[in-house]
Amino acid sequence: RILDRRYDGGNSLLAAAIVAEYFRDQLWEHCDRTNAALKEKRDAVFEELERGVGDICTWSRPVGGLFIWVTLPDGTDMNKLSRMAAERGVRYAEGSGFHIRNVSVCNIRLAFGYTSMEDIRDGIPQLCDCIRVACDHKAITSPAA
């Protein structure tokens, strides 16, 4: 049924031509601007994670890309964490979705590319609080709370 509704063979040739023309002389300048913005966001996530759960979690330190993998303490109640984070409007990808057998693992993947700096500064402390509660560590509150 889905294929019956498909009207084209893929990407728009017009859109591709416009993007190709735009980037013909500006690709590397665009990459420099984008990379600087992504580095700032990545570093903000690092800062907030260190402040909130640096004593109980570890995380990847990618030099590129758009994701940070966070390893939570063994025994973290992943269902509780998911429920609490959702109630606070914080979203992440559960590590089980990336496991070859889709088994529960104490890892989450944080995407920071599209997220605003304000959302990072507000959301990561909320997530850290949820992590502490879900792993039965004393809940922390941010200084602004």
Side-chain angles (χ1 to χ4, degrees):
R1 286 187 196 177
I2 293 172
L3 291 176
D4 290 341
R5 302 286 186 252
R6 188 172 174 187
Y7 298 107
D8 65 19
N11 297 329
S12 162
L13 292 177
L14 176 60
I18 292 169
V19 169
E21 184 62 31
Y22 175 79
F23 283 130
R24 179 184 317 277
D25 298 322
Q26 320 182 43
L27 176 61
W28 298 116
E29 292 84 3
H30 173 78
C31 288
D32 289 343
R33 284 190 310 272
T34 302
N35 288 341
L38 291 173
K39 182 182 181 303
E40 184 180 3
K41 290 179 179 185
R42 181 204 64 189
D43 291 350
V45 174
F46 288 162
E47 289 171 22
E48 296 300 336
L49 286 172
E50 186 63 43
R51 186 175 299 126
V53 290
D55 60 328
I56 61 171
C57 294
T58 59
W59 47 89
S60 64
R61 298 207 175 258
V63 294
L66 304 169
F67 308 103
I68 298 172
W69 282 95
V70 180
T71 301
L72 309 172
D74 287 340
T76 298
D77 185 335
M78 298 303 288
N79 291 326
K80 185 175 186 177
L81 175 58
S82 178
R83 195 171 46 254
M84 288 177 58
E87 288 170 359
R88 296 180 187 205
V90 176
R91 291 182 282 172
Y92 58 84
E94 292 193 23
S96 60
F98 301 91
H99 191 280
I100 191 168
R101 292 188 181 87
N102 197 34
V103 298
S104 182
V105 292
C106 290
N107 298 90
I108 59 175
R109 185 180 81 162
L110 303 178
F112 57 86
Y114 184 73
T115 307
S116 71
M117 285 295 287
E118 180 180 355
D119 286 345
I120 289 170
R121 296 285 185 203
D122 292 342
I124 298 297
Q126 292 291 324
L127 177 62
C128 292
D129 189 37
C130 294
I131 290 169
R132 286 195 176 275
V133 172
C135 71
D136 292 330
H137 285 76
K138 184 179 177 192
I140 60 168
T141 57
S142 64

